[in-house]
Amino acid sequence: MNLRSSWVAETGQTREDTRLTQMGVTNALNPVQVRSGILPGSYDGKYRLSGFWMTNSSAMSAIVSEGRGVIQGDISQGAYPVTLPASEVVTFSPGNAQYDRIDLVVLRVRDKLYGDDRNEAVIEVIQGVPEATPKAQPVPARSLPLYEVRVPVGASAGTGGIPWATALKDLRNTVVSAGGILPVEGPVQQGAYPGQYQDTPDAQLQRWDGGKWVAYPQAIGGVVPNTVGSAIPGSYTGQYRDGLGGRLERWNGSAWAPAFPGPIFNDSLTAGYTTSTSYVDTLTNRTGALSITFVAPGSRQAIITFGSRIQLVGTGSGAGFMSVKIMQGTTVHRDNNDTYGVVCQSPGNIAVSTTQRLHTLTAGATYTVTAYFRTTNTALQAWFNNTFIHVVPQH
């Protein structure tokens, strides 16, 4: 057996054994014990955990790759560092004739001082009980589980063996030195002290606050790089991140939203007309109303610009007006008004626009701006083309 350990054998521990296994890993579990686990890392740095990786070598055998770990005994027994400097092959017994079973692969330290029949460190297959609903056997004392392996009915070298692609359940977890940031693999365990940190599989840094893991503000006061998509929540209201597509976003307490919404623009290049002397939001020859929505910023102010190319067609004198109605839900913030509108009194095509400041908005509220049109003479068709609305929230 290649698995090495320190301070287990009564005699025969070599200097090489000691050098291989003394790793200083003491990731706290409580004031006396440390967490059992495997040291993280991989040869190329691409993976969190490659130690004791298991893959098939034949129909009923698997290779356990090299690795280092720590196995914590009972509270008075101490921690056992173990190292596998070269890969090891483990073999599974043939499947039962009637039921599947689940075998458990563990790193196990046997210590005669605590009731075992021998002193050794070993990679062991603990065979499960064939059942209609199989489950793995309990993990023995001074053992670190690596994998569950489901052995199907009748599995053997002659029948194709274990379906390795679906049979393995990875149970490995990581451990680092005291004060280190733990890269989480496997089940999330509770922290040992407030101020302990861990890095989750979705790249979120978390801090143990004494009762739960809390997402830690990334780059406090700065902009969080968005490298993991939009699913990761913010750590505090007012946190900023570089959103997808390079858009700066702010965490509002429940969702990421544009930090600086706007500018908002909408237009219609279709000409339409009205003969109505009261304001209407639809025009003959044009489908639908022209409107936009925006969220009022903290300043409660926005700049609005709107306009159109207007032409009067018909007999007699008169004018064509374009105005906007601004609504907050069902509440009118500003109604149509000739004074605030744009006007044309010419039979020729005249492009007119106006820019105004909106104020006394409710910060965070959503407003809808809709274009309205009218003529002052029912004998005149007031035509509107190249119509637009543009809102820039002031931050």
Side-chain angles (χ1 to χ4, degrees):
M1 175 60 66
N2 286 323
L3 190 65
R4 308 288 187 92
S5 182
S6 296
W7 317 121
V8 176
E10 295 173 286
T11 61
Q13 178 173 320
T14 68
R15 287 175 294 175
E16 185 179 69
D17 291 333
T18 305
R19 289 196 303 271
L20 283 169
T21 57
Q22 297 310 297
M23 59 197 71
V25 177
T26 54
N27 196 201
L29 182 65
N30 56 46
V32 179
Q33 295 174 293
V34 299
R35 174 173 170 164
S36 296
I38 299 168
L39 271 70
S42 59
Y43 286 111
D44 56 10
K46 293 181 178 179
Y47 306 99
R48 289 173 178 263
L49 182 60
S50 63
F52 300 103
W53 171 264
M54 194 169 79
T55 186
N56 67 297
S57 63
S58 67
M60 299 299 295
S61 298
I63 296 175
V64 178
S65 299
E66 59 270 25
R68 296 194 298 166
V70 172
I71 300 172
Q72 172 66 53
D74 288 342
I75 197 164
S76 62
Q77 296 176 2
Y80 299 83
V82 295
T83 297
L84 184 65
S87 61
E88 189 83 21
V89 175
V90 293
T91 301
F92 299 84
S93 298
N96 180 262
Q98 186 177 5
Y99 296 115
D100 289 2
R101 72 169 193 271
I102 295 179
D103 291 352
L104 185 65
V105 181
V106 300
L107 301 179
R108 185 172 184 179
V109 171
R110 296 179 182 272
D111 192 336
K112 291 174 65 175
L113 187 62
Y114 302 110
D116 288 319
D117 59 356
R118 59 190 182 278
N119 292 319
E120 70 172 353
V122 64
I123 299 174
E124 188 171 299
V125 177
I126 300 172
Q127 187 169 308
V129 177
E131 296 176 314
T133 306
K135 56 183 178 295
Q137 294 295 295
V139 179
R142 293 175 299 280
S143 295
L144 179 63
L146 299 179
Y147 286 89
E148 288 183 359
V149 180
R150 191 179 187 103
V151 182
V153 171
S156 68
T159 62
I162 297 170
W164 295 105
T166 58
L168 298 182
K169 180 180 180 181
D170 193 345
L171 303 178
R172 298 172 303 155
N173 66 299
T174 54
V175 64
V176 294
S177 60
I181 296 176
L182 182 72
V184 176
E185 289 291 323
V188 175
Q189 301 182 25
Q190 73 173 33
Y193 56 89
Q196 185 178 4
Y197 291 91
Q198 67 177 19
D199 184 69
T200 66
D202 54 15
Q204 185 182 69
L205 185 65
Q206 296 180 337
R207 179 184 183 274
W208 182 256
D209 70 354
K212 63 183 182 299
W213 290 106
V214 178
Y216 190 75
Q218 301 181 58
I220 294 179
V223 178
V224 179
N226 183 9
T227 59
V228 291
S230 59
I232 306 304
S235 302
Y236 58 90
T237 300
Q239 185 179 17
Y240 289 89
R241 76 169 183 182
D242 181 23
L244 296 176
R247 180 180 67 176
L248 187 64
E249 296 177 339
R250 179 182 182 275
W251 181 254
N252 63 16
S254 59
W256 290 105
F260 301 102
I264 303 95
F265 182 88
N266 195 12
D267 67 349
S268 174
L269 302 180
T270 301
Y273 72 90
T274 183
T275 56
S276 173
T277 56
S278 58
Y279 277 108
V280 293
D281 61 356
T282 58
L283 295 173
T284 302
N285 208 46
R286 180 192 291 179
T287 302
L290 178 67
S291 66
I292 61 173
T293 61
F294 71 96
V295 176
S299 68
R300 304 174 62 202
Q301 300 183 66
I303 301 299
I304 183 171
T305 301
F306 60 90
S308 182
R309 191 179 72 181
I310 307 174
Q311 180 183 19
L312 300 174
V313 178
T315 59
S317 62
F321 281 90
M322 174 188 173
S323 182
V324 292
K325 179 184 287 188
I326 303 172
M327 303 286 293
Q328 180 194 340
T330 59
T331 302
V332 176
H333 178 76
R334 196 179 86 179
D335 208 347
N336 292 304
N337 189 310
D338 290 349
T339 302
Y340 299 138
V342 295
V343 61
C344 173
Q345 293 179 290
S346 170
N349 283 310
I350 304 296
V352 289
S353 66
T354 183
T355 299
Q356 301 160 9
R357 179 175 65 93
L358 303 179
H359 53 89
T360 66
L361 301 172
T362 300
T366 299
Y367 289 82
T368 300
V369 182
T370 304
Y372 278 78
F373 314 90
R374 81 179 189 93
T375 181
T376 59
N377 184 345
T378 57
L380 289 174
Q381 294 179 351
W383 283 81
F384 299 87
N385 196 2
N386 300 346
T387 311
F388 73 93
I389 307 172
H390 186 204
V391 174
V392 182
Q394 299 298 286
H395 299 283

